[in-house]
Structures are given as C-alpha cells and as structure tokens.
Amino acid sequence: MELSPELLRKLEGLAKIRLSPEEEALLLADLKRILDFVDALPQLEETGEEEARGRLREDEPRPSLSQEEALVLAPDREEGFFRVPPVLE
C-alpha cells in the first residue's frame, strides 16, 4: 500500500480528526517507518529463531519503586492505593 496525502485525508475522515499540515507530514513519516518495519519482519523470521534470540537481553530482576515512592505524585490515594474515578456505573 502506498502512503499518500490522499490516503491520510481518507484516514482522517474515518477517524473524524483534523490534522495540521505539519501533523500530516509527521504522521506520514511515522506511518512509513511502521510499514517499513512490518515489511521487514518476514526477512527477520527467515534468519532463524536462534539468531534472533541472541539479540535479546536476559530478563533480570532490578530494584523498583517502593509503594510509597510510586504513590508520592498520585493526585489521590487511599490506603496505599491509587484512587481513580469510577469507570463503570
């Protein structure tokens, strides 16, 4: 699929949004990078699972925030938890 300003305007209409010319240019560039990445995925799969696994780092536990540190900037909290407005009635 070829990205074009016309396609972007069609997507704007479907999403019911309006973008400035600057935002359109940025979005087109971002979408192109995303599509280029997706197009490259089949080539990565052909290299083999072992080679791809070698590029990943090991998942190692690291220190994290304490409960109090995590809540320090919370606008509202209650009994050690974030308090948020109800989402469902």
Side-chain angles (χ1 to χ4, degrees), residues 13-27:
L14 292 171
K16 296 184 182 352
I17 60 173
R18 288 286 160 231
L19 300 173
S20 69
E22 295 82 17
E23 290 170 323
E24 285 182 3
L26 289 171
L27 185 56

Side-chain angles (χ1 to χ4, degrees), residues 8 15 30 33-34 39 43 51 55-56 67 77 82:
L8 186 58
D30 286 346
R33 280 195 300 272
I34 292 168
D39 286 342
Q43 295 167 354
E51 185 180 324
R55 293 186 298 234
L56 300 176
Q67 185 175 15
R77 56 183 162 164
F82 291 96

Side-chain angles (χ1 to χ4, degrees), residues 20-84:
S20 69
E22 295 82 17
E23 290 170 323
E24 285 182 3
L26 289 171
L27 185 56
L28 276 173
D30 286 346
L31 288 173
K32 181 173 179 357
R33 280 195 300 272
I34 292 168
L35 291 176
D36 288 345
F37 175 78
V38 171
D39 286 342
L41 288 177
Q43 295 167 354
L44 291 176
E45 291 173 0
E46 291 172 6
T47 63
E49 185 179 330
E50 290 301 317
E51 185 180 324
R53 187 179 295 135
R55 293 186 298 234
L56 300 176
R57 67 170 172 76
E58 289 296 318
D59 191 15
E60 297 176 10
R62 294 184 279 182
S64 61
L65 297 175
S66 69
Q67 185 175 15
E68 189 58 37
E69 289 171 320
L71 290 169
V72 74
L73 295 177
D76 195 8
R77 56 183 162 164
E78 183 177 305
E79 298 178 16
F81 296 96
F82 291 96
R83 183 159 195 223
V84 297

